[in-house]
Amino acid sequence: MKQVTAVLIGAGLRGGHVYSSYALEHPDEFKVVAVAEPDEMRRLEFAVKHEIPEEMQFKSYEELLERERMADCALVCTQDTMHYRPVIGALEKEYHVLCEKPMSPDGKEIVKMGEMAQKYGRILSICHVLRYSPFFVKIKELLEEQKIGRLMSIQHREEVGYWHHAHSFVRGNWRNAEKSSPMILQKCCHDMDILLWLVQSHCKTVSSFGALTFFKEENAPEGAPARCLDGCSYRDECPYYAPRFYLEHPKAEEDGLIYAVTSDIEKKSVLQALKSGPYGRCVFHCDNTVVDHQVVNLEFENGVTAALTMSAFTKNCAREINLMGTKGQIRGNMESGMIEVYDFVNGITDTIHLNTPPKGHGGSDMSMMKNFVQLVMEGKGSGKTGARVSVESHLMALAAEQSRVNKATVDFEAFKKELVCSC
């Protein structure tokens, strides 16, 4: 078996700890041979873990891409607004590319990335990992087998989780739409992609409503300080008190969120980082601008309608779906791996329990990496999440944001044509 080699651009949580771990688990299939990361500590830690020599460690993607092509593919895992240039540069150097989602918050850049992949004949896969999850793969099979007849409507719920929202979208890297992406794109381009995949039709019309309602200065308790460790008197009653989450909540370490705070997760180091870093700020005294709840209505060309609800105010970080057809109904919860299929004719409910791994989007992170490595090995195809299909689902999210901001329904075909013509 040929070993696929890769360069990593951006050694943060997703690139440095998630996708690249496939190389450590399957060294016969995949190896990271170079890394570009401006943060020296992250760069050196990653280099040690993957045994990357000093001459293959770069402070920037520009330095790396100035060199002759040194691997089969490039993993681009920078921040949302920083994907475009390294992706285009890597394609021009004839790397196959795996790009973290979202591709870009700029619609023109999204369209251009898809066009450039086609121009250079390279694989450009987007990290829409949910298509590889056992849960959605099974639902797709049930629809194709017409277990509920003709699909008519979908209700899909993205439960962000109160703790995850506070970490990523109030204190964290995706808190500010102007500096990263609108939340409906950053968090829910996954969900737009899944809906597009399940419906098997182009989007026709989009409408959306939502706002940043709670995590604002005006809702801060009286006298609440700017930082949790500045003597906050509300710490025992506040669900967003940072030290409690990062030192006590199981998800902080289980999902790797604590590594965004500090690479040294000993209590003393965590507390020190919370005293001065962004993750120790009061959730009501941050510079966040993204919404904390939003609904999106979608109409597809084949007549199917879909409603997506995203909310920060939930116990769990979870996805639930309800698919309604002419002969039955499917309900499911991705995190529990439970799917119920109800048959209108015989009145029987079949319950399916999937063995869903608790980490990595139900096991789909590694399934996606396996698929991408196989594509590169064969040098052809685009897989389930190639740029061609990913462009449309990204633009659906941007259309939803335009609808929310302008309070008007968006004709999706006209929206898309305007972007394509302006590129």
Side-chain angles (χ1 to χ4, degrees):
M1 179 183 292
K2 177 185 181 294
Q3 184 191 56
V4 171
T5 55
V7 299
L8 175 66
I9 298 174
L13 177 59
R14 300 302 291 175
H17 293 276
V18 179
Y19 304 136
S20 60
S21 68
Y22 191 83
L24 302 178
E25 296 175 16
H26 304 279
D28 57 325
E29 296 179 27
F30 190 59
K31 180 175 177 60
V32 182
V33 299
V35 59
E37 167 57 54
D39 185 291
E40 184 177 14
M41 184 176 293
R42 284 182 179 174
R43 184 173 67 250
L44 293 177
E45 286 180 353
F46 184 85
V48 169
K49 189 188 301 182
H50 289 264
E51 299 180 348
I52 297 174
E54 185 176 352
E55 63 270 19
M56 300 294 272
Q57 302 170 27
F58 303 91
K59 295 179 181 179
S60 69
Y61 74 85
E62 291 95 341
E63 290 180 24
L64 188 152
L65 293 178
E66 282 175 1
R67 301 280 190 93
E68 291 299 315
R69 184 166 70 92
M70 59 186 75
D72 300 307
C73 63
L75 311 185
V76 178
C77 302
T78 53
Q79 291 298 309
D80 300 359
T81 57
M82 299 169 63
H83 291 162
Y84 179 72
R85 292 189 181 279
V87 166
I88 297 300
L91 291 171
E92 290 174 341
K93 285 284 186 176
E94 298 189 341
Y95 287 97
H96 297 296
V97 178
L98 178 71
C99 179
E100 174 63 317
K101 61 84 189 169
M103 297 169 71
S104 169
D106 185 312
K108 294 178 184 178
E109 290 185 353
I110 292 169
V111 171
K112 190 69 175 178
M113 288 160 77
E115 291 175 347
M116 293 295 279
Q118 187 173 4
K119 174 182 176 180
Y120 288 102
R122 299 285 92 184
I123 296 165
L124 173 56
S125 289
I126 312 304
C127 296
H128 280 148
V129 297
L130 296 189
R131 286 200 186 199
Y132 299 89
S133 69
F135 177 78
F136 283 112
V137 167
K138 186 62 180 178
I139 285 180
K140 179 72 168 175
E141 288 177 2
L142 293 169
L143 289 177
E144 290 179 344
E145 293 167 3
Q146 296 192 317
K147 292 293 186 180
I148 59 170
R150 178 183 171 185
L151 178 65
M152 300 301 292
S153 187
I154 302 177
Q155 292 175 329
H156 184 64
R157 190 163 74 242
E158 163 69 277
E159 298 182 356
V160 180
Y162 73 96
W163 47 271
H164 179 40
H165 187 89
H167 170 83
S168 296
F169 302 103
V170 178
R171 295 171 170 133
N173 291 330
W174 298 281
R175 67 190 181 275
N176 190 295
E178 293 72 32
K179 295 178 181 179
S180 58
S181 302
M183 189 170 174
I184 198 65
L185 175 67
Q186 208 295 319
K187 191 75 177 78
C188 291
C189 64
H190 273 323
D191 305 281
M192 295 293 188
D193 180 68
I194 283 295
L195 292 172
L196 188 65
W197 188 47
L198 296 179
V199 173
Q200 288 189 298
S201 179
H202 294 294
C203 182
K204 181 180 178 182
T205 313
V206 182
S207 67
S208 183
F209 306 91
L212 169 59
T213 303
F214 182 65
F215 296 101
K216 301 194 294 187
E217 193 90 25
E218 65 197 53
N219 293 320
E222 186 177 352
R227 311 188 69 81
C228 292
L229 286 171
D230 287 349
C232 182
S233 59
Y234 299 95
R235 66 182 187 180
D236 292 334
E237 60 192 77
C238 178
Y240 308 102
Y241 184 63
R244 182 183 304 114
F245 170 63
Y246 292 108
L247 295 174
E248 299 177 16
H249 199 294
K251 286 291 186 179
E253 188 168 353
E254 182 181 307
D255 286 2
L257 303 184
I258 194 170
Y259 293 102
V261 178
T262 173
S263 57
D264 180 357
I265 61 172
E266 291 297 318
K267 182 177 180 179
K268 181 179 179 181
S269 298
V270 173
L271 289 174
Q272 187 60 42
L274 293 178
K275 284 181 181 179
S276 57
Y279 294 96
R281 293 180 294 175
C282 171
V283 292
F284 302 106
H285 295 307
C286 293
D287 60 339
N288 55 305
T289 63
V290 298
V291 302
D292 50 29
H293 62 118
Q294 188 168 353
V295 295
V296 180
N297 297 309
L298 302 164
E299 179 186 25
F300 293 87
E301 290 179 358
N302 64 356
V304 174
T305 55
L308 166 65
T309 298
M310 175 188 69
S311 177
F313 309 104
T314 62
K315 173 186 175 183
N316 297 315
C317 184
R319 286 179 169 90
E320 293 194 353
I321 194 165
N322 177 14
L323 303 103
M324 293 153 275
T326 55
K327 293 184 178 180
Q329 184 175 10
I330 298 172
R331 293 177 181 269
N333 181 293
M334 177 180 164
E335 280 59 40
S336 69
M338 187 277 294
I339 299 173
E340 290 183 345
V341 186
Y342 179 74
D343 190 308
F344 292 166
V345 176
N346 58 31
I348 295 174
T349 299
D350 287 331
T351 303
I352 301 167
H353 294 282
L354 300 171
N355 184 18
T356 305
K359 297 179 68 176
H361 293 99
S364 54
D365 288 344
M366 291 303 100
S367 294
M368 180 205 68
M369 284 303 302
K370 179 180 179 180
N371 179 262
F372 177 70
V373 169
Q374 186 66 39
L375 288 173
V376 174
M377 199 176 293
E378 296 172 356
K380 59 183 180 181
S382 58
K384 296 179 181 179
T385 59
R388 184 180 60 81
V389 294
S390 295
V391 165
E392 180 159 353
S393 58
H394 275 63
L395 297 185
M396 286 162 57
L398 290 180
E401 184 66 2
Q402 178 174 296
S403 172
R404 182 189 73 83
V405 172
N406 295 341
K407 300 187 184 305
T409 299
V410 173
D411 179 314
F412 184 70
E413 189 61 28
F415 176 84
K416 187 166 60 173
K417 281 182 178 179
E418 184 176 346
L419 284 173
V420 171
C421 291
S422 61
C423 286

